[in-house]
Amino acid sequence: MTSPKRLSQEHQRSLERRLKAGDERALGELFDLVAPWILGLAFRILQDEDEAEEVVGDVFVQVWRHIDQHDGGRGPLVPWILSIARNRSLDALRRRRRWWRKSAHLEQAQEAMGEAVAPAAPHEAAVPGWPMHREVHAALAALSEEQRRVVVLSYFEGLSHREIAQRLRQPLGTVKTRLRMAHQKLTEGLRHLKDWVE
Amino acid sequence: MTDWLGLLAAPRTPRPELKGRVLARALAPRRRWPLAAAAVITLAVGGGGGAWWAYRTIGTLTTERDGLAARVHALEDTVSTFIHGPATRLIQIPVSTGGRVGSVTIFADSVRHRWLVRCDGLAPNARDQAYQLWFITDRGMATAAVMPMDQDKPMVMALEMPRGEGGEADQRVLGAAMSIEPRAGSASPSGPMVFHRLL
């Protein structure tokens, strides 16, 4: 297991500059850094290895071609890439006609274990960014069960507030309140996250 | 903040070949030719359709223009025959209708037994009335035309002079008259007379 080390903001900016300059090696380095997380996120949403790998490809094509669109002043590179991965995955999910079957399968998986907060296998701790992963999990674990549930449905399934309310059989106002409070707590809990930890 | 939530998912180790595949795809030169081809096809189809439409429209308009030109030419001939014919008489009759002064001009072609009549400055009719032009013949008044006039603009018409059963002009036309009649016209003058003129 490699010991975690911090990828400083300066290093991250350097990587971004190289990408913007068309340095192909930088893209390879970026893959080593974030591909496991993109793949994990895409698989978490799609529950399909092949489709998740397709999303990884889509994400890197988009990052390489549109890196100029990332405004470093508005946030680090990794969350931007993760947001692309999430959007691509949700697009793929929505395209599927098997939405409800997969969704039900996903829900069963969540209910069986609450995967969103489940600890990963020890060998995964060698993956770059692992400490950050644990911090995000800790922030989510600090939420109430109800808040956690609406956050997961919103983030990983891309459900609207109304759809979440229908799924949970809760009033729409309750769902909105839970989401708002969850986001406030997460913002507080993750405020310190600026550097990508390798 | 929520962008970091992507890290909630457990990481997955990519299969060894994925990196090469992804980088090759990302770094491949952009294949713009499908877009270019699509654009060319779209332009060709759109352009072709547009050209066909323009061709059809131009053809239709050309035919229409030629027809109108032929009609204008024929009318010019007719008018020219009336105006410049050696047997044509010109009669101009001042009239007063609705308090305004106008005129009725008659080109009478005694050879072809036709009249060309132009009315200027006639007051528009009431909704239930019309001007009616009469031939004054040796057998009485014969209707020439019923002219409902709803607009204040000149009116021109060509009229055949009355003929007998054998096709000959066996009614001698002595003059012309105009009266104001019901909208559908009358068999004989019954309304106010606009003019009555022996030629």
Side-chain angles (χ1 to χ4, degrees), chain A residues 174-185:
Chain A
T174 303
V175 169
K176 287 182 177 179
T177 302
R178 286 177 183 170
L179 268 173
R180 189 176 62 252
M181 294 182 67
H183 279 225
Q184 284 173 355
K185 286 185 184 178

Side-chain angles (χ1 to χ4, degrees), chain A residues 34 39 55 57 60-61 64 85 96 107 111 117 121 131 139 150 152 171 173 192:
Chain A
V34 298
L39 189 62
V55 167
F60 276 89
V61 167
W64 180 247
R96 268 200 222 155
E107 192 172 19
E111 286 173 353
V117 292
V150 293
V152 169
H192 64 289

Side-chain angles (χ1 to χ4, degrees), chain A:
Chain A
M1 181 186 301
T2 56
S3 58
K5 60 181 179 181
R6 184 170 291 271
L7 179 65
S8 68
Q9 290 186 59
E10 181 51 41
H11 189 175
Q12 197 171 171
R13 280 195 288 268
S14 168
L15 191 59
E16 186 174 339
R17 275 196 299 272
R18 289 169 57 203
L19 287 169
K20 287 180 177 176
D23 184 347
E24 296 180 1
R25 286 177 55 200
L27 192 65
E29 291 177 30
L30 184 70
F31 185 94
D32 294 335
L33 267 177
V34 298
W37 298 103
I38 297 173
L39 189 62
L41 174 59
F43 184 81
R44 172 73 173 74
I45 292 173
L46 294 165
Q47 297 293 302
D48 183 287
E49 189 75 31
D50 291 337
E51 283 190 292
E53 288 187 352
E54 189 66 22
V55 167
V56 174
D58 291 345
V59 170
F60 276 89
V61 167
Q62 186 165 345
V63 168
W64 180 247
R65 291 181 182 171
H66 302 290
I67 185 67
D68 288 335
Q69 293 178 2
H70 176 248
D71 179 5
R74 297 183 61 185
L77 186 61
V78 173
W80 180 67
I81 294 172
L82 291 174
S83 70
I84 294 173
R86 174 182 177 252
N87 291 335
R88 290 281 182 164
S89 302
L90 290 176
D91 287 345
L93 190 62
R94 292 185 185 112
R95 279 197 299 270
R96 268 200 222 155
R97 296 188 175 178
R98 297 170 292 167
W99 160 269
W100 289 110
R101 189 166 66 82
K102 289 284 181 183
S103 180
H105 174 68
L106 187 64
E107 192 172 19
Q108 286 171 1
Q110 286 174 9
E111 286 173 353
M113 189 30 265
E115 186 194 349
V117 292
H123 75 277
E124 291 170 333
V127 177
W130 185 254
M132 190 77 79
H133 169 68
R134 297 191 60 172
E135 290 191 53
V136 176
H137 265 275
L140 192 73
L143 302 180
S144 68
E145 174 61 31
E146 292 80 8
Q147 291 169 349
R148 196 158 51 237
R149 192 161 175 76
V150 293
V151 167
V152 169
L153 286 173
S154 171
Y155 189 83
F156 287 105
E157 296 192 35
L159 297 186
S160 66
H161 294 176
R162 188 172 301 279
E163 289 168 332
I164 293 172
Q166 288 171 350
R167 175 80 67 89
L168 300 180
R169 295 189 177 89
Q170 294 287 333
L172 180 60
T174 303
V175 169
K176 287 182 177 179
T177 302
R178 286 177 183 170
L179 268 173
R180 189 176 62 252
M181 294 182 67
H183 279 225
Q184 284 173 355
K185 286 185 184 178
L186 287 170
T187 301
E188 285 298 315
L190 300 176
R191 190 183 297 281
H192 64 289
L193 294 186
K194 290 175 182 170
D195 296 345
W196 173 249
V197 180
E198 189 177 8

Side-chain angles (χ1 to χ4, degrees), chain B residues 18-67:
Chain B
L18 183 62
K19 181 177 180 181
R21 210 169 70 216
V22 167
L23 294 185
R25 185 180 156 201
L27 298 174
R30 285 203 208 184
R31 292 189 301 170
R32 296 182 184 277
W33 66 266
L35 282 176
V40 168
I41 290 170
T42 303
L43 281 175
V45 171
W52 174 246
W53 175 84
Y55 173 76
R56 293 289 302 272
T57 304
I58 289 170
T60 304
L61 291 175
T62 302
T63 304
E64 194 174 338
R65 183 204 61 192
D66 291 346

